[in-house]
Amino acid sequence: DGTTGGFTVSVDHNQNADNDAFEDGTWGGSVSTEVGSLGTVKAEGQLKEDDTKNYGLSLTKGIWTGAWDKTGDADGVLSLKAVVTF
């Protein structure tokens, strides 16, 4: 994980102790950045051992997050969420 030039980059892999096989068969990562007054944009992806691909794209502004997610061959899903903490 790290931040460079205003971008936050994350790479995830889940290997066993010997680093010769994936524990749960997945690897993936994400990139996010602040886009002016729009908010934070995040793109992420994941590849599972069975070649299923997951994609996500989201925009967060204040308490609101709009997102598009797609898993494998299924249709993409749009969502809008508000998170309030008290």
Side-chain angles (χ1 to χ4, degrees), residues 6 9 17-18 20 23-24 27 29 32 34 44 46 50-52 55 57-58 65 72 74 76 78 83-84:
V9 178
D18 295 327
D20 63 0
E23 285 290 324
D24 64 0
W27 64 270
S32 63
E34 187 78 21
E44 55 192 330
Q46 183 182 56
D50 65 1
D51 288 333
T52 301
Y55 305 99
L57 182 63
S58 65
T65 297
L78 290 173
V83 176
V84 180

Tab-separated table of all heavy atoms in Angstrom, residues 6 9 17-18 20 23-24 27 29 32 34 44 46 50-52 55 57-58 65 72 74 76 78 83-84:
chain	number	residue	atom	x	y	z
A	6	GLY	N	-0.788	11.880	-5.064
A	6	GLY	CA	-2.213	12.023	-4.811
A	6	GLY	C	-3.019	10.762	-5.058
A	6	GLY	O	-4.219	10.745	-4.863
A	9	VAL	N	-2.521	3.523	-3.792
A	9	VAL	CA	-2.483	2.248	-4.495
A	9	VAL	C	-2.387	1.128	-3.479
A	9	VAL	O	-1.601	1.194	-2.541
A	9	VAL	CB	-1.267	2.188	-5.451
A	9	VAL	CG1	-1.193	0.842	-6.156
A	9	VAL	CG2	-1.329	3.329	-6.447
A	17	ALA	N	2.130	-19.752	3.746
A	17	ALA	CA	3.401	-19.445	4.399
A	17	ALA	C	4.600	-19.724	3.504
A	17	ALA	O	5.630	-19.055	3.595
A	17	ALA	CB	3.524	-20.226	5.704
A	18	ASP	N	4.500	-20.718	2.603
A	18	ASP	CA	5.612	-21.049	1.708
A	18	ASP	C	5.627	-20.201	0.437
A	18	ASP	O	6.520	-20.337	-0.396
A	18	ASP	CB	5.549	-22.532	1.313
A	18	ASP	CG	5.760	-23.449	2.500
A	18	ASP	OD1	6.526	-23.072	3.420
A	18	ASP	OD2	5.159	-24.535	2.512
A	20	ASP	N	3.913	-20.463	-2.176
A	20	ASP	CA	3.830	-21.243	-3.409
A	20	ASP	C	2.393	-21.530	-3.829
A	20	ASP	O	2.163	-22.212	-4.820
A	20	ASP	CB	4.621	-22.545	-3.297
A	20	ASP	CG	4.075	-23.484	-2.231
A	20	ASP	OD1	3.073	-23.138	-1.573
A	20	ASP	OD2	4.661	-24.557	-2.046
A	23	GLU	N	-3.796	-18.843	-0.601
A	23	GLU	CA	-4.615	-19.396	0.477
A	23	GLU	C	-6.062	-19.543	0.038
A	23	GLU	O	-6.660	-20.585	0.176
A	23	GLU	CB	-4.554	-18.509	1.724
A	23	GLU	CG	-3.269	-18.630	2.488
A	23	GLU	CD	-3.102	-19.953	3.191
A	23	GLU	OE1	-4.094	-20.510	3.683
A	23	GLU	OE2	-1.968	-20.449	3.250
A	24	ASP	N	-6.643	-18.462	-0.492
A	24	ASP	CA	-8.034	-18.534	-0.922
A	24	ASP	C	-8.155	-18.304	-2.422
A	24	ASP	O	-9.226	-18.078	-2.948
A	24	ASP	CB	-8.905	-17.558	-0.140
A	24	ASP	CG	-8.529	-16.103	-0.390
A	24	ASP	OD1	-7.592	-15.850	-1.168
A	24	ASP	OD2	-9.178	-15.229	0.180
A	27	TRP	N	-6.157	-12.601	-5.750
A	27	TRP	CA	-5.255	-11.456	-5.696
A	27	TRP	C	-6.002	-10.284	-6.301
A	27	TRP	O	-6.946	-10.464	-7.061
A	27	TRP	CB	-3.924	-11.704	-6.392
A	27	TRP	CG	-4.003	-11.937	-7.870
A	27	TRP	CD1	-4.145	-13.127	-8.500
A	27	TRP	CD2	-3.960	-10.941	-8.888
A	27	TRP	NE1	-4.191	-12.939	-9.854
A	27	TRP	CE2	-4.074	-11.605	-10.124
A	27	TRP	CE3	-3.841	-9.558	-8.876
A	27	TRP	CZ2	-4.069	-10.930	-11.330
A	27	TRP	CZ3	-3.833	-8.884	-10.093
A	27	TRP	CH2	-3.942	-9.577	-11.292
A	29	GLY	N	-6.373	-5.562	-6.200
A	29	GLY	CA	-5.836	-4.278	-5.798
A	29	GLY	C	-6.810	-3.156	-6.091
A	29	GLY	O	-7.896	-3.372	-6.635
A	32	SER	N	-7.104	4.766	-5.736
A	32	SER	CA	-8.074	5.823	-5.409
A	32	SER	C	-7.382	7.171	-5.407
A	32	SER	O	-6.173	7.273	-5.185
A	32	SER	CB	-8.739	5.558	-4.056
A	32	SER	OG	-7.795	5.586	-3.026
A	34	GLU	N	-8.431	11.720	-4.968
A	34	GLU	CA	-9.374	12.822	-4.797
A	34	GLU	C	-9.492	13.547	-6.134
A	34	GLU	O	-8.481	13.880	-6.755
A	34	GLU	CB	-8.853	13.780	-3.723
A	34	GLU	CG	-9.803	14.866	-3.341
A	34	GLU	CD	-10.898	14.389	-2.398
A	34	GLU	OE1	-10.714	13.368	-1.734
A	34	GLU	OE2	-11.941	15.050	-2.349
A	44	GLU	N	-11.269	-0.758	-8.296
A	44	GLU	CA	-10.665	-1.945	-7.718
A	44	GLU	C	-11.002	-3.169	-8.543
A	44	GLU	O	-11.961	-3.182	-9.310
A	44	GLU	CB	-11.110	-2.134	-6.276
A	44	GLU	CG	-12.596	-2.178	-6.060
A	44	GLU	CD	-12.967	-2.080	-4.584
A	44	GLU	OE1	-12.189	-2.520	-3.734
A	44	GLU	OE2	-14.041	-1.557	-4.299
A	46	GLN	N	-10.323	-7.765	-8.654
A	46	GLN	CA	-9.904	-8.977	-7.961
A	46	GLN	C	-10.024	-10.144	-8.933
A	46	GLN	O	-10.963	-10.219	-9.722
A	46	GLN	CB	-10.796	-9.214	-6.751
A	46	GLN	CG	-10.413	-10.406	-5.903
A	46	GLN	CD	-11.373	-10.590	-4.749
A	46	GLN	OE1	-12.569	-10.717	-4.945
A	46	GLN	NE2	-10.845	-10.590	-3.545
A	50	ASP	N	-10.362	-19.465	-9.647
A	50	ASP	CA	-11.205	-20.060	-10.690
A	50	ASP	C	-11.424	-19.105	-11.870
A	50	ASP	O	-12.310	-19.316	-12.691
A	50	ASP	CB	-12.544	-20.515	-10.115
A	50	ASP	CG	-13.388	-19.358	-9.606
A	50	ASP	OD1	-12.963	-18.184	-9.706
A	50	ASP	OD2	-14.494	-19.623	-9.106
A	51	ASP	N	-10.603	-18.047	-11.963
A	51	ASP	CA	-10.639	-17.038	-13.025
A	51	ASP	C	-11.864	-16.131	-12.984
A	51	ASP	O	-12.146	-15.422	-13.945
A	51	ASP	CB	-10.514	-17.664	-14.418
A	51	ASP	CG	-9.107	-18.166	-14.677
A	51	ASP	OD1	-8.163	-17.614	-14.082
A	51	ASP	OD2	-8.958	-19.121	-15.465
A	52	THR	N	-12.626	-16.126	-11.889
A	52	THR	CA	-13.720	-15.177	-11.723
A	52	THR	C	-13.116	-13.803	-11.466
A	52	THR	O	-12.248	-13.647	-10.607
A	52	THR	CB	-14.627	-15.563	-10.538
A	52	THR	OG1	-15.156	-16.856	-10.775
A	52	THR	CG2	-15.753	-14.565	-10.367
A	55	TYR	N	-14.960	-6.499	-10.411
A	55	TYR	CA	-14.576	-5.119	-10.677
A	55	TYR	C	-15.429	-4.194	-9.840
A	55	TYR	O	-16.588	-4.500	-9.564
A	55	TYR	CB	-14.806	-4.749	-12.148
A	55	TYR	CG	-14.134	-5.653	-13.137
A	55	TYR	CD1	-14.837	-6.663	-13.772
A	55	TYR	CD2	-12.794	-5.493	-13.424
A	55	TYR	CE1	-14.224	-7.491	-14.695
A	55	TYR	CE2	-12.173	-6.320	-14.340
A	55	TYR	CZ	-12.889	-7.316	-14.979
A	55	TYR	OH	-12.275	-8.137	-15.871
A	57	LEU	N	-16.113	0.273	-9.109
A	57	LEU	CA	-15.814	1.681	-9.312
A	57	LEU	C	-16.741	2.460	-8.392
A	57	LEU	O	-17.954	2.213	-8.376
A	57	LEU	CB	-16.066	2.076	-10.771
A	57	LEU	CG	-15.758	3.515	-11.151
A	57	LEU	CD1	-14.266	3.808	-10.979
A	57	LEU	CD2	-16.195	3.791	-12.578
A	58	SER	N	-16.181	3.366	-7.595
A	58	SER	CA	-17.020	4.115	-6.657
A	58	SER	C	-16.596	5.569	-6.579
A	58	SER	O	-15.459	5.922	-6.889
A	58	SER	CB	-16.972	3.486	-5.261
A	58	SER	OG	-15.673	3.573	-4.719
A	65	THR	N	-21.879	7.480	-1.042
A	65	THR	CA	-21.032	6.680	-1.921
A	65	THR	C	-21.912	6.056	-3.003
A	65	THR	O	-22.865	5.342	-2.703
A	65	THR	CB	-20.305	5.557	-1.158
A	65	THR	OG1	-19.439	6.143	-0.186
A	65	THR	CG2	-19.478	4.698	-2.106
A	72	GLY	N	-17.809	-11.595	-12.114
A	72	GLY	CA	-17.851	-12.592	-13.174
A	72	GLY	C	-18.699	-12.155	-14.350
A	72	GLY	O	-18.618	-11.022	-14.810
A	74	ALA	N	-21.985	-11.982	-14.340
A	74	ALA	CA	-23.254	-11.392	-13.892
A	74	ALA	C	-23.331	-9.925	-14.317
A	74	ALA	O	-22.321	-9.280	-14.592
A	74	ALA	CB	-23.379	-11.496	-12.374
A	76	GLY	N	-23.687	-5.924	-13.927
A	76	GLY	CA	-23.168	-4.993	-12.935
A	76	GLY	C	-24.289	-4.481	-12.051
A	76	GLY	O	-25.457	-4.476	-12.437
A	78	LEU	N	-25.527	-1.221	-9.561
A	78	LEU	CA	-25.355	0.159	-9.106
A	78	LEU	C	-25.924	0.300	-7.709
A	78	LEU	O	-26.964	-0.287	-7.394
A	78	LEU	CB	-26.074	1.130	-10.030
A	78	LEU	CG	-25.494	1.317	-11.423
A	78	LEU	CD1	-26.434	2.174	-12.261
A	78	LEU	CD2	-24.129	1.960	-11.349
A	83	VAL	N	-23.617	6.855	4.771
A	83	VAL	CA	-23.078	6.338	6.024
A	83	VAL	C	-23.097	7.458	7.055
A	83	VAL	O	-22.489	8.520	6.848
A	83	VAL	CB	-21.640	5.805	5.852
A	83	VAL	CG1	-21.069	5.355	7.180
A	83	VAL	CG2	-21.623	4.666	4.838
A	84	VAL	N	-23.823	7.236	8.128
A	84	VAL	CA	-23.914	8.216	9.196
A	84	VAL	C	-23.433	7.546	10.483
A	84	VAL	O	-23.902	6.476	10.852
A	84	VAL	CB	-25.376	8.700	9.395
A	84	VAL	CG1	-25.451	9.715	10.516
A	84	VAL	CG2	-25.915	9.268	8.093
